[in-house]
Amino acid sequence: MLNVRASKPIFSRFIKLDMSFAEQVVYWGIVLTPLWWLLGVQTLLYPAIAIILMLISFDFDKLLRTAPACVWAWLVMSLVMLATATIGLSNVGFDIQKIAATLVTFFKSYFLIYACLVLPFWNRIRISVITRAVAWMTTGYLATIAIQMVMLVLRIGGSGFLPPLARLIPGDKLSLQVKFAVFQPFFGIPLPRTALYTPDPPILGVCAVLCFFICLGETNRRLRNFGLTGCLVALLISASRLAWLCLPLGLLIIVCFRSRLARQGTLWAASFTALLCGLLGLTFNQLLEKPLEIFTSARATSSTDREFVVRKTLEAWQESPWLGWGIISGSVRWYTYDIALGSFSTYASVLYLHGIIGFIFFIAALALTLCSFWVLAVRGNLLYKRAFASLVALYVFCNAIPLTWMTVYFWFFFVWLGAILSETQQHRTTVYSWEHLSEKFEYGKSFYQIVVAKIMFAF
């Protein structure tokens, strides 16, 4: 007969048993990612989870509670996006399909970031719950990748299929397709590559990097090792060159926070680079030319495509520099297909869609979010170091893919950031609460009375 009491502690090592309603929704929303991927409902389900939880837990008391400036900065950025999109729609005419596409983009991009950041302030969502869910999801990467490798060898499944529920969702179906692993050339060598639960392999790369930093906080050693292994395998098979650079960059930042000597690394690196340039008789650009040539030659066609689209995007932005175009209203022809303007580089896309004004608000949101983790990271808080390093990695990767397109696939990352900020705020509120201060006052008062009594007794 199964001993339930004996098996419960073992079960609780891997699944949190005391979760609130919001934690259960977020937990299973992350863990069941393969199911949502096969059903083709990711792009609508994840924003629905965040927004519905936010609406259920909304009240004016929570609205008036103090939240970091970065949370409200993303709300302002989403409103700027909505305003410029409205102006763009008014210029081309309010079409139902275009309005629907704009609203979907609004709810699954900047507003989704705001909703995910604010959720932990309005609900009980602990860091440990998110970490455990992400560790399980990345452990599942290993099984899914293994299955896709077998399918690739046996030539089963082809290029993929469109899920049944995805057929009911209006709009472009490209991001809703279930794609399997294929062989793609890398330095001229055909190697397996897959996008897994995302529409594009580079998005899988950035998801793997962000999940890696989250999984570092998993308390169960066995699950943490499996989760980190899943992240590294997914990063490897994504064949994302920039994601490969972002992971060591983030780890280097964490090391720099820990070591006083490493904090001077930039100075030493700059001095060594200047010395090397002097000895070789090269300029800094010439010194970087060869590594960049190797970096782009891995997939020369992809690099050329991105450079061409970004250049055309910036040229189109110059025609409406202050408010941008609001909506994507142009494309460029490349070989036999069209590429929409703003498809590559978040920064070029923000300039093109929202102009200089929107770009200022966007940079402010990025900077405020990064600064929210700076102080405690410098003071040695390991969790804040990981959050800061992962944000830097994300900002670097934003130069390759628009944030509005890939946010929905790592929405849990912003919930994790919000949970970190929320738990820190709750700790400070507890420490500096009026009740705590009154206890200190009473203790001081009694201590004063004892001292006075002793002095009087002495006399």
Side-chain angles (χ1 to χ4, degrees):
M1 183 176 180
L2 180 64
N3 190 345
V4 178
R5 293 187 177 181
S7 62
K8 184 177 180 180
I10 298 176
F11 183 74
S12 63
R13 291 179 187 177
F14 298 97
I15 296 180
K16 298 291 183 180
L17 300 177
D18 56 340
M19 294 188 293
S20 65
F21 173 75
E23 286 177 332
Q24 292 180 29
V25 174
V26 172
Y27 182 89
W28 292 112
I30 299 172
V31 173
L32 297 179
T33 296
L35 177 61
W36 317 135
W37 169 61
L38 291 174
L39 294 176
V41 296
Q42 291 186 92
T43 55
L44 294 183
L45 178 66
Y46 298 146
I49 289 176
I51 295 171
I52 291 175
L53 284 178
M54 186 181 67
L55 293 177
I56 292 175
S57 59
F58 175 81
D59 63 49
F60 286 101
D61 292 335
K62 294 177 181 179
L63 183 64
L64 296 176
R65 288 179 187 174
T66 304
C70 64
V71 177
W72 303 111
W74 285 108
L75 177 61
V76 173
M77 180 59 205
S78 63
L79 295 177
V80 170
M81 171 189 176
L82 190 61
T84 54
T86 303
I87 296 174
L89 287 172
S90 64
N91 293 331
V92 298
F94 289 96
D95 182 75
I96 295 179
Q97 292 184 349
K98 292 181 179 179
I99 294 175
T102 301
L103 290 177
V104 170
T105 304
F106 170 78
F107 285 116
K108 72 182 186 71
S109 55
Y110 303 126
F111 190 79
L112 177 60
I113 295 177
Y114 162 72
C116 291
L117 286 173
V118 83
L119 268 183
F121 290 92
W122 293 1
N123 300 272
R124 182 194 176 212
I125 301 179
R126 291 165 293 173
I127 302 171
S128 58
V129 173
I130 304 169
T131 304
R132 179 63 53 84
V134 173
W136 274 116
M137 183 191 68
T138 52
T139 300
Y141 280 173
L142 297 174
T144 307
I145 292 174
I147 293 173
Q148 291 199 16
M149 292 300 101
V150 173
M151 294 175 61
L152 181 61
V153 172
L154 299 178
R155 298 181 180 181
I156 300 174
S159 59
F161 65 94
L162 185 65
L165 294 181
R167 302 176 188 274
L168 305 176
I169 300 176
D172 185 18
K173 302 293 190 299
L174 181 62
S175 60
L176 303 176
Q177 291 182 350
V178 173
K179 301 177 181 179
F180 301 123
V182 295
F183 284 106
Q184 287 190 359
F186 194 80
F187 284 112
I189 303 173
L191 295 175
R193 192 186 192 198
T194 181
L196 213 60
Y197 310 140
T198 67
D200 198 25
I203 301 180
L204 173 62
V206 70
C207 287
V209 172
L210 299 179
C211 290
F212 183 89
F213 288 105
I214 297 176
C215 289
L216 287 174
E218 173 55 44
T219 55
N220 186 283
R221 185 177 62 179
R222 181 179 299 179
L223 183 59
R224 180 177 64 248
N225 292 337
F226 276 117
L228 293 175
T229 303
C231 293
L232 294 176
V233 172
L235 179 62
L236 179 64
I237 204 167
S238 69
S240 174
R241 296 160 294 171
L242 192 56
W244 288 355
L245 295 178
C246 286
L247 180 60
L249 174 63
L251 295 175
L252 178 62
I253 291 173
I254 294 178
V255 172
C256 289
F257 277 124
R258 291 183 178 180
S259 173
R260 292 183 179 180
L261 181 62
R263 294 177 187 176
Q264 303 176 2
T266 53
L267 179 61
W268 287 103
S271 302
F272 177 76
T273 303
L275 176 62
L276 191 62
C277 290
L279 292 176
L280 299 178
L282 301 174
T283 64
F284 182 71
N285 290 335
Q286 291 173 336
L287 186 66
L288 292 180
E289 185 176 346
K290 189 62 179 179
L292 288 175
E293 181 181 345
I294 297 174
F295 182 81
T296 55
S297 64
R299 281 195 307 274
T301 304
S302 175
S303 301
T304 305
D305 288 350
R306 294 175 184 272
E307 181 183 359
F308 178 72
V309 174
V310 170
R311 186 174 69 251
K312 291 298 182 180
T313 299
L314 294 177
E315 290 176 1
W317 158 66
Q318 295 175 8
E319 299 178 14
S320 180
W322 290 103
L323 292 176
W325 292 85
I327 59 174
I328 297 177
S329 56
S331 61
V332 293
R333 191 72 177 177
W334 185 254
Y335 291 112
T336 59
Y337 56 92
D338 293 329
I339 302 178
L341 294 176
S343 296
F344 303 114
S345 178
T346 300
Y347 307 106
S349 176
V350 171
L351 280 171
Y352 168 70
L353 291 173
H354 316 300
I356 296 176
I357 295 177
F359 188 78
I360 292 173
F361 283 103
F362 179 71
I363 295 299
L366 295 181
L368 288 173
T369 306
L370 194 64
C371 291
S372 298
F373 297 93
W374 168 257
V375 176
L376 291 183
V378 172
R379 293 179 182 175
N381 189 301
L382 184 57
L383 198 57
Y384 273 70
K385 293 177 185 177
R386 294 169 182 166
F388 187 91
S390 59
L391 277 172
V392 172
L394 176 61
Y395 292 173
V396 172
F397 197 88
C398 281
N399 195 43
I401 298 178
L403 186 61
T404 54
W405 189 34
M406 59 181 178
T407 295
V408 71
Y409 300 101
F410 49 79
W411 63 283
F412 50 83
F413 171 71
F414 293 102
V415 180
W416 179 67
L417 294 180
I420 295 174
L421 296 174
S422 175
E423 289 191 12
T424 304
Q425 187 183 80
Q426 291 173 6
H427 175 71
R428 290 177 177 176
T429 304
T430 303
V431 171
Y432 297 106
S433 62
W434 285 107
E435 292 80 1
H436 187 73
L437 292 176
S438 64
E439 289 178 3
K440 280 191 170 184
F441 176 76
E442 291 296 334
Y443 174 80
K445 182 179 178 181
S446 60
F447 177 78
Y448 170 76
Q449 291 174 347
I450 293 173
V451 172
V452 173
K454 285 187 176 181
I455 294 175
M456 293 180 65
F457 181 78
F459 284 100

